[in-house]
Amino acid sequence: MINMMSVDVEDWFQVHNLTQVISYRQWDLLELRVKSNTARILQLLDKHRTKATFFVLGWLAERLPQLVRDIAGEGHEIACHGYSHRLLSSMTPGELDAELTNTLAILRQTSGQRVTGFRAPSFSVTRRTLWSYEIMARHGIQYDSSVFPFGFHPDYGIRHAPLAAYRATDAIIELPLSCAQVLGGRVPCSGGGYFRIFPYAVTRHLMQRCNSEGRPVVFYVHPWEFDPGQPRMHLPRFKQIRHYTNLHLTTTRFDRLLSDFEFGSIQENLVLTHELAEPTPVAGRPTRQVPKAPVFPRPSQVFAARS
């Protein structure tokens, strides 16, 4: 089964966990480390002949256009991660509209790609921000990958959201971050801190369970997770654990993950029209025939009276 690999391209100081200690106004004063960290990811993807989707922050794309060109030049998909990494819950519809206008213009011009994918900062598409889908569609976004289908995290998640891809609206397909069903609950196996904190064998087992149920895993990493030498901020104990645990293991684990599972970009995996699509060829791998678009649940079927 072809799983979906994604990279949220943001630098070490732009993470939501650090907003209490680093303000947006300070960003231009801080060291940019994202270029070298993204290069590590690109090298590993190239080693395993794997393509991925890179959700790029507009603030970075504006300052590092060559980084975007380098990613696109390697045959990876460029997608949108907003401009300022503000949570959707802190934005008005007008502010999101303005951010998408600005960021998509930067990404489309720099990469030469259509850019049809979006991931909200810190997965902040929740029940309170479902209004964002209409704005995404207005800007030519065809899929979103921002929903965590569980309800225990303090900052994100939609309890009872479908585990597999579904139509969030008539125009937008939602690809939720992957969770496995275990003993009646849902356990994340989609990357990030869960990948670093859980033993690798746990992640592998949960991903295999998803695949055995016919669900490709939507996986994500951040460039700063490959950088154990990044500046360390004083954080509350729980955030300290979530943010800095096992940074020194990310590179070797990611290398192993790419050996144990097959991945492609979201664009490569998801057919957004009813015609046969021609996926981007990957050197050394035969071109796959992509089936016609699956029938996803309709919007009215997704969140019907569940909370």
Side-chain angles (χ1 to χ4, degrees):
M1 176 169 287
I2 312 300
N3 299 287
M4 301 180 224
M5 179 56 68
S6 62
V7 182
D8 292 357
V9 183
E10 59 199 53
D11 217 332
W12 66 273
F13 52 83
Q14 298 170 318
V15 185
H16 179 61
N17 267 349
L18 302 185
T19 53
Q20 292 180 339
V21 293
I22 299 176
S23 71
Y24 179 77
R25 292 189 302 274
Q26 295 174 284
W27 283 11
D28 270 316
L29 305 176
L30 298 171
E31 176 192 10
L32 291 173
R33 302 172 67 92
V34 69
K35 186 175 180 180
S36 59
N37 294 330
T38 302
R40 293 189 185 100
I41 297 173
L42 290 171
Q43 289 167 1
L44 288 169
L45 292 171
D46 181 65
K47 172 184 175 181
H48 293 277
R49 296 179 176 178
T50 297
K51 301 304 179 187
T53 297
F54 285 73
F55 292 95
V56 183
L57 205 61
W59 189 94
L60 285 173
E62 196 169 51
R63 287 157 177 79
L64 298 172
Q66 188 58 48
L67 176 62
V68 178
R69 287 191 284 267
D70 290 344
I71 295 168
E74 294 285 338
H76 301 289
E77 178 190 6
I78 300 296
C80 179
H81 198 35
Y83 184 87
S84 62
H85 210 261
R86 286 179 61 192
L87 273 60
L88 300 191
S89 56
S90 72
M91 303 176 74
T92 66
E95 288 172 331
L96 177 60
D97 185 77
E99 279 220 358
L100 286 180
T101 298
N102 185 26
T103 304
L104 287 169
I106 295 168
L107 293 177
R108 286 167 176 164
Q109 180 177 4
T110 306
S111 70
Q113 297 183 13
R114 291 176 58 209
V115 187
T116 58
F118 179 74
R119 175 168 291 156
S122 298
F123 313 107
S124 53
V125 171
T126 67
R127 288 184 182 277
R128 295 169 51 199
T129 58
L130 296 178
W131 51 263
S132 61
Y133 286 129
E134 180 180 351
I135 297 170
M136 293 181 210
R138 193 183 305 160
H139 287 274
I141 296 298
Q142 295 178 299
Y143 74 83
D144 176 68
S145 182
S146 304
V147 170
F148 254 108
F150 57 44
F152 63 77
H153 197 282
D155 298 323
Y156 56 74
I158 299 181
R159 188 183 179 202
H160 299 311
L163 293 171
Y166 60 91
R167 283 200 175 274
T169 71
D170 288 337
I172 303 291
I173 293 172
E174 178 63 48
L175 291 103
L177 286 303
S178 295
C179 295
Q181 299 186 86
V182 179
L183 300 175
R186 294 179 172 187
V187 182
C189 57
S190 45
Y194 308 105
F195 183 53
R196 290 182 287 107
I197 294 170
F198 293 166
Y200 178 77
V202 171
T203 297
R204 182 179 59 196
H205 172 74
L206 295 175
M207 289 179 62
Q208 289 170 340
R209 178 173 290 198
C210 290
N211 286 173
S212 70
E213 295 172 356
R215 288 191 287 119
V217 169
V218 180
F219 202 89
Y220 72 97
V221 293
H222 303 90
W224 58 265
E225 293 182 288
F226 293 74
D227 184 11
Q230 67 189 266
R232 302 289 178 115
M233 301 293 106
H234 181 70
L235 300 171
R237 182 63 177 162
F238 180 61
K239 287 189 175 183
Q240 190 91 12
I241 292 171
R242 281 168 49 194
H243 197 68
Y244 294 123
T245 295
N246 290 337
L247 292 178
H248 65 291
L249 297 179
T250 305
T251 299
T252 54
R253 285 187 178 184
F254 191 65
D255 191 16
R256 186 175 178 186
L257 181 81
L258 294 175
S259 293
D260 288 346
F261 296 89
E262 189 170 3
F263 290 94
S265 70
I266 294 176
Q267 185 180 65
E268 187 180 6
N269 278 268
L270 180 63
V271 178
L272 296 171
T273 72
H274 291 283
E275 303 296 325
L276 281 176
E278 290 295 334
T280 302
V282 180
R285 184 193 299 171
T287 301
R288 295 189 296 274
Q289 285 295 310
V290 181
K292 291 182 181 295
V295 178
F296 297 114
R298 306 300 295 173
S300 60
Q301 299 172 301
V302 173
F303 300 120
R306 302 189 77 175
S307 60

